[in-house]
């Protein structure tokens, strides 16, 4: 297999040397004239770094050829050639600094729960950027218009949609926290939850996993709005008080939002409490006093009643079905069903090896602009309409998300919950082994 080859090997095998006759083997032996290479041993710190972690995004052509030969996912006969979550994870792992990689991290990224978590996070961040842009446009227009009751209805729908998508992320995140399902062996107190808590190790592993997920989301969304994604993801998981990215960049983006924008983008489940009692906004979504469709809590894991009886006929609930396919459905069917998940599900032949869109003579703007000199808020007194519009990133690779509307009637709890499980889509064991083998070769070159 190509995975068993060494990392080099693009030059001629018998260059820069000469042949001599070996009396012992009674045959010709090639002797290199080059001095022996100095083997660089990569020093891995005992603790993973928790500060700024930079991924390589300037992979040269030789590295891309190496990636395509050894680590890119190979298509099976009859398989559709579309971008999958695994493809995006492969790019993130290939460009990640070696000192944050570990066998545990690679194994964690190749779990069905983690894959659903990543897909839910991509969906949530994409819709967040979309609504942030929409609200920025609405705030500009309201400078010369009067708010009407229809504004409240539209913004309430935006807020509820964002809350539901955050709930999908929180569902998988909660499973990871309690060590449920396939994440059992990764719990900080062990699979049986009986040993002493490895809280420091778990905290550092969480930071590394979160940074890796931010990179995956950024790649899946076409390398757009990196800082805005990182700010929102850290806010969702750590709250405003413990948002280390905001403490570093000091954008003040939340304080610059107007009231209506803050209500839509942050939701109504934000709890203001003492610093030590601060709870993650994701957990606030789970325990929020609002109407939550219980069927969302088991999407991709438990088979729930995805059909509602209407006029003695079974009709599909489009909202639940949309979320189910987005989080746990096969990627090759996303486009067919009209489900948008960044570049996931798009044809792979319109992207290069590093999942950049092939040039069409269009946009050449820098995709990772810093928000340290930009404002993502809605301070309409200080920001003009033209500059405000240019601050947000409009997705051009894929259409906007259009979530089906909620049911007009409340969905009540059934007399009993289903214990029938969904068919869990496994992650690629081949890719997991490839990345484990690569990590071992980098850590132990001899």
């Amino acid at each position: 297999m190509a995975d068993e080859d060494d990392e080099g090997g693009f030059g001629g095998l018998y260059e820069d040397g000469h042949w001599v006759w070996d009396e012992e083997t009674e045959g010709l032996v090639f002797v290199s004239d080059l001095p022996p290479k100095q083997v660089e041993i990569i020093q891995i710190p005992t603790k993973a770094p928790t500060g700024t972690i930079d991924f390589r995004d300037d992979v040269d052509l030789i590295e891309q050829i190496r990636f395509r030969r050894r680590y890119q996912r190979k298509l099976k006969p009859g398989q559709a050639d579309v971008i999958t979550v695994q493809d995006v994870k492969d790019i993130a792992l290939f460009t990640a600094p070696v000192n944050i990689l570990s066998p545990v991290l690679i194994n964690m990224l190749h779990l069905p729960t983690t894959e659903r978590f990543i897909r839910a996070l991509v969906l949530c961040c994409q819709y967040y950027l979309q609504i942030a842009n929409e609200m920025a446009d609405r705030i500009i227009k309201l400078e010369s218009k009067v708010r009407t009751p229809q504004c409240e209805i539209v913004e309430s729908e935006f807020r509820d949609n964002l809350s539901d998508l955050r709930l999908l992320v929180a569902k998988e995140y909660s499973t990871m926290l309690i060590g449920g399902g396939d994440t059992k062996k990764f719990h900080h107190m062990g699979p049986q939850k009986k040993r002493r808590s490895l809280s420091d190790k778990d905290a550092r592993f969480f930071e590394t996993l979160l940074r890796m997920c931010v990179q995956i989301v950024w790649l899946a969304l076409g390398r757009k709005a990196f800082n805005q994604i990182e700010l929102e993801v850290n806010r969702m998981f750590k709250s405003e008080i413990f948002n280390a990215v905001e403490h570093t960049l000091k954008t003040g983006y939340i304080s610059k939002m107007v009231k209506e924008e803050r209500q839509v983008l942050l939701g109504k489940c934000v709890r203001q409490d003492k610093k030590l009692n601060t709870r993650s906004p994701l957990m606030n979504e789970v325990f929020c006093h609002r109407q939550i469709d219980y069927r969302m809590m088991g999407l991709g894991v438990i088979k729930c009643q995805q059909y509602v009886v209407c006029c003695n006929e079974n009709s599909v609930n489009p909202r639940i079905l949309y979320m189910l396919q987005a989080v746990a459905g096969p990627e090759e069917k996303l486009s067919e069903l009209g489900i948008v998940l960044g570049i996931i599900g798009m044809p792979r032949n319109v992207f290069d090896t590093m999942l950049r869109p092939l040039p069409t003579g269009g946009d050449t703007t820098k995709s990772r602009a810093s928000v340290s000199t930009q404002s993502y808020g809605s301070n309409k007194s200080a920001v003009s309409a033209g500059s405000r519009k240019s601050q947000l990133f409009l997705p051009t690779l894929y259409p906007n998300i259009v979530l089906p509307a909620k049911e007009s009637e409340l969905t009540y709890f059934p007399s009993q919950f289903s214990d029938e499980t969904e068919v869990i889509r496994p992650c690629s064991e081949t890719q997991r082994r490839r990345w484990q083998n690569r990590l071992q070769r980098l850590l132990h070159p001899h």
Side-chain angles (χ1 to χ4, degrees):
M1 292 179 60
D3 299 322
E4 298 175 355
D5 298 336
D6 57 6
E7 288 292 305
F10 284 95
L13 184 60
Y14 301 113
E15 291 183 357
D16 301 317
H18 61 278
W19 296 88
V20 296
W21 181 264
D22 190 349
E23 296 292 344
E24 294 183 2
T25 61
E26 295 184 352
L28 290 173
V29 177
F30 180 79
V31 178
S32 176
D33 295 333
L34 297 176
K37 287 185 177 180
Q38 295 293 330
V39 179
E40 180 183 359
I41 300 177
I42 301 174
Q43 297 293 334
I44 302 298
T46 56
K47 292 185 177 181
T50 56
T52 302
I53 301 174
D54 293 325
F55 286 65
R56 292 183 301 146
D57 197 42
D58 53 347
V59 181
D60 59 32
L61 185 59
I62 299 298
E63 289 288 315
Q64 292 186 34
I65 294 173
R66 179 178 292 121
F67 171 80
R68 187 166 60 247
R69 286 180 54 194
R70 291 169 168 78
Y71 307 114
Q72 191 177 58
R73 177 179 60 91
K74 306 301 186 292
L75 289 178
K76 297 179 181 178
Q79 188 176 12
D81 190 13
V82 299
I83 297 174
T84 65
V85 177
Q86 184 64 55
D87 295 331
V88 184
K89 289 190 296 186
D90 291 342
I91 299 293
L93 285 169
F94 186 71
T95 57
V98 181
N99 61 347
I100 74 166
L101 296 178
S102 66
V104 177
L105 177 63
I106 294 174
N107 288 337
M108 186 72 176
L109 288 172
H110 289 83
L111 296 178
T113 298
T114 309
E115 187 142 316
R116 291 193 304 270
F117 170 76
I118 291 173
R119 291 176 66 160
L121 194 59
V122 171
L123 183 67
C124 180
C125 289
Q126 181 184 346
Y127 194 73
Y128 174 85
L129 295 177
Q130 175 183 322
I131 297 305
N133 182 71
E134 176 67 23
M135 288 302 300
D137 192 40
R138 292 175 66 85
I139 297 301
I140 292 171
K141 291 179 179 179
L142 285 174
E143 292 180 356
S144 57
K145 295 182 180 180
V146 178
R147 285 185 65 86
T148 63
Q150 183 64 24
C151 293
E152 300 292 338
I153 296 175
V154 173
E155 292 173 4
S156 176
E157 181 181 355
F158 290 160
R159 182 181 65 241
D160 290 344
N161 287 343
L162 270 173
S163 293
D164 283 350
L165 296 185
R166 279 193 291 262
L167 186 64
L168 293 182
V169 180
K171 172 179 76 75
E172 307 299 343
Y173 179 54
S174 300
T175 302
M176 297 161 69
L177 285 180
I178 65 175
D182 49 16
T183 65
K184 184 177 181 180
K185 61 182 179 181
F186 297 95
H187 194 266
H188 63 99
M189 295 179 67
Q192 304 300 325
K193 303 178 184 177
K194 293 181 178 180
R195 72 185 184 196
R196 185 176 180 180
S197 173
L198 301 176
S199 56
D200 182 64
K201 179 181 177 181
D202 187 65
R204 292 178 178 273
F205 176 70
F206 165 77
E207 292 289 342
T208 306
L209 178 63
L210 190 63
R211 177 62 184 88
M212 181 67 74
C213 289
V214 168
Q215 187 73 10
I216 293 172
V217 171
W218 178 67
L219 292 171
L221 296 184
R223 291 177 166 85
K224 299 291 181 70
F226 174 82
N227 290 108
Q228 200 174 358
I229 293 171
E230 191 176 32
L231 282 167
E232 176 59 16
V233 169
N234 278 268
R235 185 200 69 83
M236 285 196 301
F237 284 89
K238 302 179 184 179
S239 76
E240 297 177 37
I241 297 177
F242 298 104
N243 190 342
V245 177
E246 171 59 24
H247 295 335
T248 302
L249 298 179
K250 295 181 173 57
T251 63
Y253 74 106
I254 292 181
S255 62
K256 295 174 184 176
M257 294 180 182
V258 298
K259 177 184 175 183
E260 294 80 10
E261 195 172 11
R262 190 181 301 112
Q263 289 176 343
V264 170
L265 296 180
L266 304 187
K268 59 182 180 181
C269 300
V270 178
R271 297 183 182 181
Q272 301 295 338
D273 207 337
K274 294 182 180 179
K275 189 172 183 178
L276 293 179
N277 296 330
T278 300
R279 184 182 292 175
S280 166
L282 282 182
M283 294 300 100
N284 289 337
E285 294 290 349
V286 176
F287 300 102
C288 185
H289 294 287
R290 68 180 184 91
Q291 296 177 3
I292 298 177
D293 193 332
Y294 74 92
R295 293 172 294 186
M296 290 194 300
M297 296 295 190
L299 286 182
V301 181
I302 302 295
K303 280 191 176 181
C304 60
Q305 184 185 3
Q306 296 163 9
Y307 301 90
V308 292
V309 179
C310 177
C311 304
N312 296 325
E313 294 182 2
N314 286 334
S315 59
V316 178
N317 181 341
R319 187 179 181 89
I320 295 295
L321 188 61
Y322 187 104
M323 293 180 178
L324 173 63
Q325 294 298 325
V327 172
E331 289 94 340
E332 57 268 19
K333 291 186 178 180
L334 293 180
S335 179
E336 177 186 339
L337 297 173
I339 297 172
V340 183
L341 202 63
I343 65 174
I344 297 172
M346 297 179 66
R348 198 161 64 170
N349 57 6
V350 298
F351 294 84
D352 66 6
T353 305
M354 293 289 107
L355 296 184
R356 290 189 182 89
L358 294 177
T360 56
D363 184 31
T364 58
T365 56
K366 191 174 181 180
S367 60
R368 194 188 283 209
S370 172
V371 295
S372 59
T373 57
Q374 297 183 9
S375 166
Y376 289 105
S378 299
N379 191 347
K380 56 185 178 182
S381 63
V383 183
S384 65
S387 62
R388 181 186 179 83
K389 190 70 176 177
S390 65
Q391 289 165 2
L392 296 170
F393 298 88
L394 296 174
T396 56
L397 294 175
Y398 39 82
N400 285 338
I401 296 174
V402 181
L403 281 177
K406 281 189 172 183
E407 294 177 337
S408 56
E409 298 182 1
L410 293 178
T411 304
Y412 294 99
F413 293 120
S415 57
Q416 62 180 11
F417 291 100
S418 172
D419 56 359
E420 185 180 0
T421 60
E422 289 275 10
V423 178
I424 305 297
R425 299 177 64 248
C427 295
S428 174
E429 178 65 16
T430 302
Q431 291 300 105
R432 187 192 70 82
R433 289 182 178 179
R434 281 177 177 166
W435 294 114
Q436 290 286 14
N437 292 338
R438 175 180 181 263
L439 179 61
Q440 292 305 315
R441 285 198 299 269
L442 291 175
L443 299 183
H444 309 289
H446 296 292

